[in-house]
Amino acid sequence: MSGTGAGTLAGTGCGGSLAAAPAVREPLHAPVAHLVRGGVVEGVHYGSVVVLAADGSVELQVGDVEAAFYPRSALKPVQAVAMVRAGLPLEGDLLSLAAASHSGEERHLAGTRRILELAGLTEDDLRNVPDLPFDPVVRENWVRAGRLPSRLAQNCSGKHAAMLYTARLNGWSLDDYLDPAHPLQQAIAEIVEDLTGQGIAQVSVDGCGAPLFAVSLHGLARAAARITTAPPGTPEARVADAMRLHAEMASGSGRDVAALMRAVPGLLAKDGFEGVQVAALPDGRAVAVKIADGADRARIPVAAAALARAGVRGEALAEFAGAPLLGGGAVVGHIRPTGALAPAGRA
C-alpha cells in the first residue's frame, strides 16, 4: 500500500502498474442536479460524475473525478473481492451479504449469524459499532419490541463477519482485525490499489469502524469495471454474480440499489453514505457519482442519468428519475439532472 500522499509504481493483477495516489484537495465539484419547483430552480446539488466506456476510456466527466475522496460503502465489492482472494469460501447470498450495506431484515441477521457460525464465532466477536437496523420500518419495529442497538443489526455486520471468517481461515488474529496494520486490512488495501489502478491517498475510519481508503471517483469506476469484466470463476466474478443474483442481500427490500440491479440486466451497483453510487455493466461500461453535500435524494437520479449517458435504455431507468416534490399534497416539481448529464447531443 502506498500509504498517505505519494503513490507508487508496482505490479498489479492485470499486468499493469499503479498510478500515483490521487491528490488530497478540495474537490472542484460542479452542478449535477437541480431541484425544480413550479418551473423555478429552488436548489442545486453539486457533485462529480464519471462515465467510462467499455474500453475504459472516459466518456464523460463532470466536476472533479480525480481528487481523493472516500467511497464509503461503495467500496464493499472491492473489499469482498479481497477477502475471496484471501480464501473466503462464501458463495451466493452469503457472499452478497459480505459486500452489503444491509437493511437489518431478519434474513440479513440470519445470514450474518451463519457466516459467524461457519467461522466458529459469535456476535460477541464482531467489532463494528452497535446500531439499529437501517431500514426505517424494520428499525421502528425493532424499537417497539424494546430491542437495543446491536452489532448484528448494524448495516455492515455481514462484511465484518466475513472479515472475521477470512482472518480465522488464514490464522490471523481476531481481536484487532480492524487495525489498518492487520494482515487482513493490508490484503484489502493491496486489492483496492490493484482494482482502482492507483495508490491509496489516505486511510481513515469508516462509520462501522473498518479502515476506509481514499481513492478517486475515476478509480472507483475503474474498479467496478474490473469486477464486472473479470472471467467466470474469478473472485471478482464470484462477487459480482452473488450481488446481482441476491441484490436484496446486498441492500434490502425496497432499496433503490437493488431495484436498479433488477431493472438493468447484468448491472452491478453499490451505494455508499454521503451521496456515493457506483455501477458497472458486464462489458466494462461504468459510472461513479459523488454528491457533494451527501444528499441521498440526488444520488440515484444522477446515477440514472449517467447510466443513460453510458448507453442504458431510458425505459429501464424511468423509475429512477427521483421522488416528486409535493406542494399541498400535489406534485409541483422534481429533481432534474443538469444539462451536463443530458444524453449526447441534447445538452
Side-chain angles (χ1 to χ4, degrees):
M1 183 177 68
S2 59
T4 61
T8 61
L9 292 177
T12 68
C14 60
S17 60
L18 292 182
V24 177
R25 62 176 183 239
E26 182 178 351
L28 301 175
H29 292 303
V32 293
H34 288 154
L35 191 69
V36 181
R37 182 184 295 270
V40 174
V41 176
E42 184 178 35
V44 180
H45 288 292
Y46 282 71
S48 296
V49 179
V50 63
V51 177
L52 301 185
D55 64 0
S57 62
V58 176
E59 185 83 12
L60 173 73
Q61 61 179 22
V62 178
D64 193 344
V65 305
E66 302 297 352
F69 91 117
Y70 291 119
R72 303 299 298 269
S73 288
L75 199 63
K76 282 179 179 174
V78 177
Q79 293 171 308
V81 168
M83 289 187 277
V84 174
R85 287 195 190 184
L88 183 69
L90 300 178
E91 300 284 354
D93 60 340
L94 294 184
L95 182 53
S96 182
L97 184 60
S101 299
H102 65 70
S103 291
E105 300 167 31
E106 186 51 44
R107 60 179 154 187
H108 301 129
L109 307 186
T112 301
R113 291 190 193 98
R114 179 59 180 151
I115 295 172
L116 290 169
E117 288 170 0
L118 290 169
L121 301 170
T122 70
E123 181 180 353
D124 292 337
D125 294 294
L126 294 170
R127 293 293 180 266
N128 57 318
V129 177
D131 201 357
L132 297 171
F134 179 77
D135 181 88
V137 175
V138 178
R139 182 169 60 247
E140 182 178 353
N141 291 336
W142 185 282
V143 172
R144 283 180 176 177
R147 303 173 76 176
L148 299 174
S150 78
R151 299 184 193 275
L152 200 65
Q154 196 268 337
N155 75 92
C156 300
S157 65
K159 178 184 77 174
H160 281 255
M163 285 181 170
L164 282 167
Y165 192 8
T166 304
R168 167 142 286 186
L169 288 169
N170 283 277
W172 297 329
S173 58
L174 301 182
D175 289 347
D176 60 342
Y177 75 93
L178 295 182
D179 188 330
H182 191 279
L184 170 67
Q185 302 303 335
Q186 291 288 300
I188 290 173
E190 180 180 345
I191 303 309
V192 169
E193 292 190 330
D194 178 9
L195 294 182
T196 62
Q198 62 187 180
I200 292 169
Q202 193 70 271
V203 180
S204 185
V205 182
D206 210 339
C208 65
L212 181 60
F213 306 107
V215 295
S216 70
L217 200 65
H218 188 179
L220 178 64
R222 189 162 45 229
R226 287 278 308 277
I227 291 172
T228 58
T229 58
T234 60
E236 293 88 337
R238 285 171 55 189
V239 170
D241 289 344
M243 293 181 68
R244 288 182 294 216
L245 289 172
H246 304 277
E248 286 78 10
M249 285 298 279
S251 53
S253 301
R255 293 273 290 280
D256 52 28
V257 70
L260 188 61
M261 283 195 276
R262 289 194 301 267
V264 181
L267 186 73
L268 174 68
K270 185 69 187 75
D271 54 345
F273 279 141
E274 297 300 324
V276 182
Q277 181 69 54
V278 67
L281 291 153
D283 64 1
R285 288 175 290 161
V287 307
V289 171
K290 164 62 180 174
I291 305 301
D293 62 2
D296 201 55
R297 67 182 180 184
R299 173 182 52 84
I300 278 291
V302 171
L307 285 168
R309 282 297 298 263
V312 176
R313 297 191 317 275
E315 55 267 28
L317 300 169
E319 67 177 289
F320 305 104
L325 301 180
L326 302 180
V331 176
V332 296
H334 54 279
I335 293 177
R336 181 177 65 198
T338 60
L341 290 164
R346 290 176 50 191

